[in-house]
Amino acid sequence: MKKSARERLIAMSMASVMAFGLAGCGSSSTGATAATSAAAAATSAAAATSVAAAATSEAAAAASTAAAAASGDKVKLSFYIWSDEENYITKVVDAYNASQDKVEVDLNSVASDDYDDKLKVMLAGDTSVDLVDIRGVAQMTTYANQGSLLDITDKISGSKLDTSKYGDMWKTSDVDGKYFALPTRTTCWALFYNSDLLKEAGVDAPGQMTWEEYVDYSQKVQDGLKGKTAADGTAIKAGYWVPWIYHFYSVQHGVYVDDKDTQYLKKSLELLNTLFTNGTHYSYADVSSGTYDYMSEFENGHTALLPNGEWCVNMLMNAAASGQTSVNWEVAPMPVPEGVEDGTSWGQFQYAAITSGCQHPEEAFDFLSYLCGSEGAAIYASTGMIHAYSSEDAKDALVKASGKESVHYLFDAKKVQEQPNTNGYDEFVNAYKENAELYFLGEEDIDKCMSDFTAQADELRAKAQ
């Protein structure tokens, strides 16, 4: 008996979890959904309790630090991250520890797919966690509102950090005018491409395009590669779109899934469905099945075009260093909607924060400002990652580390925040994705898809009132 789309979606749930776990690499609007939705259910009483206990916590922290200094022991800080970030954050921690004689940071890496659940448990309980990695502004806002994170507004003001180097997205990193985290790195989507495959297809390297032009360009690439196979015999596709972010077209307009105007949300789905069904890109059934890995397909020469995030630079560098790939890759600007400024892309910050229960907040902030300032930026760039604390030096370091001049597009992009810092936003994302997936599977037409989503969105707004 043929399964319904909903049954197939359930059957693909494990594959979806794996895919959305990569949000820790950049698409946190997907990776943090479950954790932030659950955490958002915490009552305002938690925040009130945290405020009431602030004076006691500060006194205990001062006493603990004084005791460590008197004994000659190092102050030890525990820092939890998700495993995808281990290869570059480890380098920052090692460099910081080598520079210190009174403080030592103990790095704890949790499997990326398990991190959000682990974080929820850690921040809900009385644990000895001092610093935590946070996926995106929505998750940060939720945990700040429930009183789990330390208010560092005054510490930032009194530090040497130049927050202007975080760019425009810093303006939306506050929670009601207060700051509870610093950004470690910034994600940025661009068009990665295989230069050799494009030459084989007989098409020029891509420049700035509109999305409509990208559809036509993909068809030319597919036509040029017709009948051609990779070294392992796999038929080559023009492109691969990962099943993580469906409202990209809307985001580039500065419109989010909780907006009442859904015209750009609809256009985004229609455009994606064209790519999934016209034979130029892997189908939605393929990319959501768990059978294919986007980076493996690109590294092995199975696809020429890969719209994806800046973390691909780090992944490609590591794969090349280990002998896993010799793909000749480059970066081009992300296509834009007609009428939107050239160079417009999307992305978001990943953050690090001090927990409200940290017994050594001054030492923790010293490390946090190192991780999230110029020192951390230089180390990130050397590994092929883009730090949130941006500068010309960081751009030059990434060009040198990667050997690719084209990575400058990742710095030059005009990034729109991938998600707003509003409570409950993930519920709108979930509703949109649920209906989008049914549309991509052919179980609903676009009008039914948008009608059902609009009804669910209206219910969410009514519930929030």
Side-chain angles (χ1 to χ4, degrees), residues 111-442:
S112 293
D113 292 337
D114 300 331
Y115 183 78
D116 290 332
D117 289 335
K118 175 75 172 177
L119 181 63
K120 180 173 64 175
V121 171
M122 289 189 298
L123 294 183
D126 183 18
T127 60
S128 58
V129 179
D130 298 299
L131 299 113
V132 292
D133 224 0
I134 294 181
R135 302 190 211 248
V137 68
Q139 191 178 78
M140 182 271 292
T141 300
T142 296
Y143 286 126
N145 281 331
Q146 75 176 37
S148 298
L149 307 179
L150 184 70
D151 180 354
I152 57 174
T153 308
D154 292 340
K155 296 184 187 302
I156 295 172
S157 299
S159 75
K160 296 180 180 179
L161 286 170
D162 178 4
T163 55
S164 69
K165 291 187 180 295
Y166 292 133
D168 288 342
M169 289 199 299
W170 176 248
K171 298 174 183 177
T172 55
S173 291
D174 67 301
V175 180
D176 297 329
K178 296 182 178 180
Y179 293 90
F180 294 85
L182 288 176
T184 55
R185 66 181 178 89
T186 178
T187 65
C188 179
W189 284 64
L191 178 59
F192 289 78
Y193 64 92
N194 183 321
S195 291
D196 294 339
L197 285 182
L198 294 187
K199 289 178 182 177
E200 191 173 346
V203 299
D204 294 333
Q208 180 65 71
M209 297 182 282
T210 66
W211 281 110
E212 289 74 18
E213 289 170 339
Y214 176 75
V215 172
D216 293 340
Y217 181 81
S218 299
Q219 189 62 62
K220 290 178 181 178
V221 174
Q222 189 65 48
D223 291 343
L225 294 173
K226 185 177 181 180
K228 297 183 183 297
T229 59
D232 61 5
T234 301
I236 302 172
K237 284 282 190 181
Y240 191 116
W241 186 279
V242 290
W244 304 340
I245 179 167
Y246 302 148
H247 59 296
F248 62 95
Y249 189 96
S250 181
V251 170
Q252 287 180 297
H253 279 282
V255 176
Y256 298 104
V257 295
D258 58 350
D259 197 285
K260 290 184 178 181
D261 184 353
T262 62
Q263 62 173 316
Y264 298 131
L265 295 174
K266 179 180 179 181
K267 178 65 175 178
S268 193
L269 295 185
E270 290 177 320
L271 196 152
L272 261 189
N273 196 53
T274 296
L275 297 177
F276 284 143
T277 59
N278 69 359
T280 64
H281 286 59
Y282 287 62
S283 70
Y284 178 75
D286 284 340
V287 300
S288 60
S289 68
T291 302
Y292 300 94
D293 173 75
Y294 71 100
M295 187 49 67
S296 294
E297 296 304 296
F298 187 71
E299 289 175 354
N300 291 324
H302 296 171
T303 187
L305 305 171
L306 182 67
N308 214 287
E310 91 301 328
W311 55 86
C312 290
V313 175
N314 173 267
M315 296 173 75
L316 288 163
M317 285 174 58
N318 288 339
S322 64
Q324 295 177 22
T325 187
S326 59
V327 62
N328 182 19
W329 61 272
E330 294 289 347
V331 183
M334 204 64 167
V336 297
E338 187 74 43
V340 169
E341 185 179 2
D342 286 354
T344 300
S345 185
W346 63 91
Q348 63 179 338
F349 285 147
Q350 308 295 4
Y351 296 89
I354 303 171
T355 66
S356 55
C358 176
Q359 294 298 299
H360 305 285
E362 297 304 322
E363 290 82 358
F365 185 77
D366 185 70
F367 168 71
L368 188 64
S369 59
Y370 183 96
L371 170 67
C372 302
S374 58
E375 297 91 346
I379 295 171
Y380 270 50
S382 71
T383 68
M385 298 303 296
I386 298 181
H387 199 278
Y389 204 75
S390 185
S391 67
E392 285 298 314
D393 289 343
K395 182 196 296 188
D396 293 342
L398 185 60
V399 169
K400 181 179 179 180
S402 65
K404 304 288 184 178
E405 184 68 33
S406 61
V407 298
H408 74 84
Y409 287 116
L410 297 167
F411 286 85
D412 299 342
K414 302 170 183 66
K415 286 180 293 186
V416 179
Q417 183 78 275
E418 189 176 321
Q419 55 183 317
N421 57 343
T422 54
N423 275 328
Y425 182 72
D426 285 332
E427 294 184 75
F428 288 89
V429 173
N430 285 340
Y432 182 68
K433 284 177 55 183
E434 177 184 326
N435 289 285
E437 288 164 350
L438 294 174
Y439 168 56
F440 294 146
L441 289 169

